[in-house]
mmCIF file of all heavy atoms in Angstrom:
data_model
loop_
_atom_site.group_PDB
_atom_site.id
_atom_site.type_symbol
_atom_site.label_atom_id
_atom_site.label_comp_id
_atom_site.label_asym_id
_atom_site.label_seq_id
_atom_site.Cartn_x
_atom_site.Cartn_y
_atom_site.Cartn_z
ATOM 1 N N LEU N 9 -2.079 18.550 2.233
ATOM 2 C CA LEU N 9 -1.841 17.153 2.543
ATOM 3 C C LEU N 9 -2.505 16.763 3.848
ATOM 4 O O LEU N 9 -3.024 15.661 3.997
ATOM 5 C CB LEU N 9 -0.334 16.893 2.614
ATOM 6 C CG LEU N 9 0.101 15.429 2.637
ATOM 7 C CD1 LEU N 9 -0.439 14.685 1.421
ATOM 8 C CD2 LEU N 9 1.613 15.331 2.670
ATOM 9 N N LYS N 27 -8.046 -0.906 23.161
ATOM 10 C CA LYS N 27 -8.500 -1.175 24.520
ATOM 11 C C LYS N 27 -7.515 -0.665 25.568
ATOM 12 O O LYS N 27 -7.890 -0.303 26.670
ATOM 13 C CB LYS N 27 -8.713 -2.683 24.694
ATOM 14 C CG LYS N 27 -9.798 -3.255 23.790
ATOM 15 C CD LYS N 27 -9.829 -4.777 23.877
ATOM 16 C CE LYS N 27 -10.813 -5.370 22.878
ATOM 17 N NZ LYS N 27 -10.776 -6.847 22.891
ATOM 18 N N ILE N 31 -3.908 5.380 21.143
ATOM 19 C CA ILE N 31 -4.609 5.937 19.983
ATOM 20 C C ILE N 31 -3.802 5.631 18.736
ATOM 21 O O ILE N 31 -2.592 5.844 18.696
ATOM 22 C CB ILE N 31 -4.799 7.456 20.130
ATOM 23 C CG1 ILE N 31 -5.622 7.757 21.389
ATOM 24 C CG2 ILE N 31 -5.475 8.035 18.894
ATOM 25 C CD1 ILE N 31 -5.789 9.226 21.670
ATOM 26 N N ILE N 34 -2.841 7.359 13.118
ATOM 27 C CA ILE N 34 -3.260 7.749 11.776
ATOM 28 C C ILE N 34 -3.632 9.227 11.724
ATOM 29 O O ILE N 34 -3.313 9.925 10.774
ATOM 30 C CB ILE N 34 -4.463 6.893 11.321
ATOM 31 C CG1 ILE N 34 -4.106 5.413 11.385
ATOM 32 C CG2 ILE N 34 -4.885 7.274 9.921
ATOM 33 C CD1 ILE N 34 -5.271 4.494 11.152
ATOM 34 N N ILE N 36 -2.919 12.613 12.454
ATOM 35 C CA ILE N 36 -1.762 13.365 12.910
ATOM 36 C C ILE N 36 -1.706 14.702 12.202
ATOM 37 O O ILE N 36 -2.151 14.846 11.073
ATOM 38 C CB ILE N 36 -0.464 12.584 12.637
ATOM 39 C CG1 ILE N 36 -0.422 12.119 11.178
ATOM 40 C CG2 ILE N 36 -0.303 11.415 13.580
ATOM 41 C CD1 ILE N 36 0.832 11.368 10.822
ATOM 42 N N LEU N 47 8.028 7.949 13.962
ATOM 43 C CA LEU N 47 6.710 7.639 13.413
ATOM 44 C C LEU N 47 6.614 6.177 12.982
ATOM 45 O O LEU N 47 5.607 5.518 13.226
ATOM 46 C CB LEU N 47 6.400 8.554 12.235
ATOM 47 C CG LEU N 47 4.997 8.392 11.655
ATOM 48 C CD1 LEU N 47 3.939 8.719 12.696
ATOM 49 C CD2 LEU N 47 4.810 9.247 10.425
ATOM 50 N N SER N 74 14.201 -4.664 5.586
ATOM 51 C CA SER N 74 14.595 -3.643 4.626
ATOM 52 C C SER N 74 16.113 -3.587 4.502
ATOM 53 O O SER N 74 16.845 -4.238 5.260
ATOM 54 C CB SER N 74 14.054 -2.285 5.073
ATOM 55 O OG SER N 74 14.752 -1.854 6.246
ATOM 56 N N ASN N 79 12.028 -4.096 10.087
ATOM 57 C CA ASN N 79 11.066 -5.164 9.811
ATOM 58 C C ASN N 79 10.076 -4.757 8.730
ATOM 59 O O ASN N 79 9.588 -3.622 8.715
ATOM 60 C CB ASN N 79 10.282 -5.522 11.067
ATOM 61 C CG ASN N 79 11.114 -6.270 12.083
ATOM 62 O OD1 ASN N 79 12.206 -6.747 11.777
ATOM 63 N ND2 ASN N 79 10.602 -6.380 13.299
ATOM 64 N N ALA N 111 -0.882 6.558 1.941
ATOM 65 C CA ALA N 111 -1.044 5.114 1.732
ATOM 66 C C ALA N 111 -0.930 4.320 3.033
ATOM 67 O O ALA N 111 -1.818 3.521 3.352
ATOM 68 C CB ALA N 111 -0.054 4.620 0.680
ATOM 69 N N PRO N 149 9.927 0.790 4.572
ATOM 70 C CA PRO N 149 10.098 1.550 5.817
ATOM 71 C C PRO N 149 11.300 2.491 5.807
ATOM 72 O O PRO N 149 11.241 3.574 6.398
ATOM 73 C CB PRO N 149 10.243 0.453 6.887
ATOM 74 C CG PRO N 149 10.687 -0.753 6.149
ATOM 75 C CD PRO N 149 10.060 -0.666 4.795
ATOM 76 N N ALA N 188 8.779 -8.419 -13.665
ATOM 77 C CA ALA N 188 7.661 -8.381 -14.607
ATOM 78 C C ALA N 188 8.013 -7.396 -15.726
ATOM 79 O O ALA N 188 7.869 -6.185 -15.558
ATOM 80 C CB ALA N 188 6.370 -7.947 -13.904
ATOM 81 N N PRO N 245 -3.360 -4.656 -14.789
ATOM 82 C CA PRO N 245 -2.217 -5.063 -15.615
ATOM 83 C C PRO N 245 -2.579 -4.989 -17.107
ATOM 84 O O PRO N 245 -3.731 -5.172 -17.468
ATOM 85 C CB PRO N 245 -1.982 -6.511 -15.194
ATOM 86 C CG PRO N 245 -2.747 -6.698 -13.917
ATOM 87 C CD PRO N 245 -3.890 -5.761 -13.976
ATOM 88 N N HIS N 274 -19.079 8.323 -1.591
ATOM 89 C CA HIS N 274 -18.613 9.706 -1.442
ATOM 90 C C HIS N 274 -18.705 10.541 -2.716
ATOM 91 O O HIS N 274 -18.225 11.671 -2.742
ATOM 92 C CB HIS N 274 -17.162 9.721 -0.943
ATOM 93 C CG HIS N 274 -17.001 9.152 0.428
ATOM 94 N ND1 HIS N 274 -17.538 9.727 1.553
ATOM 95 C CD2 HIS N 274 -16.369 8.033 0.856
ATOM 96 C CE1 HIS N 274 -17.241 9.003 2.618
ATOM 97 N NE2 HIS N 274 -16.543 7.966 2.228
ATOM 98 N N GLY N 292 7.948 -3.566 -14.376
ATOM 99 C CA GLY N 292 8.535 -3.945 -13.100
ATOM 100 C C GLY N 292 7.688 -3.633 -11.888
ATOM 101 O O GLY N 292 8.199 -3.619 -10.765
ATOM 102 N N ASP N 315 -6.177 16.698 -7.132
ATOM 103 C CA ASP N 315 -5.423 17.947 -7.090
ATOM 104 C C ASP N 315 -3.928 17.725 -7.223
ATOM 105 O O ASP N 315 -3.184 18.639 -7.519
ATOM 106 C CB ASP N 315 -5.683 18.686 -5.759
ATOM 107 C CG ASP N 315 -7.078 19.283 -5.723
ATOM 108 O OD1 ASP N 315 -7.696 19.383 -6.791
ATOM 109 O OD2 ASP N 315 -7.534 19.636 -4.625
#
Side-chain angles (χ1 to χ4, degrees):
L9 193 57
K27 297 172 186 176
I31 300 176
I34 303 172
I36 51 179
L47 185 61
S74 70
N79 288 347
H274 295 294
D315 288 344

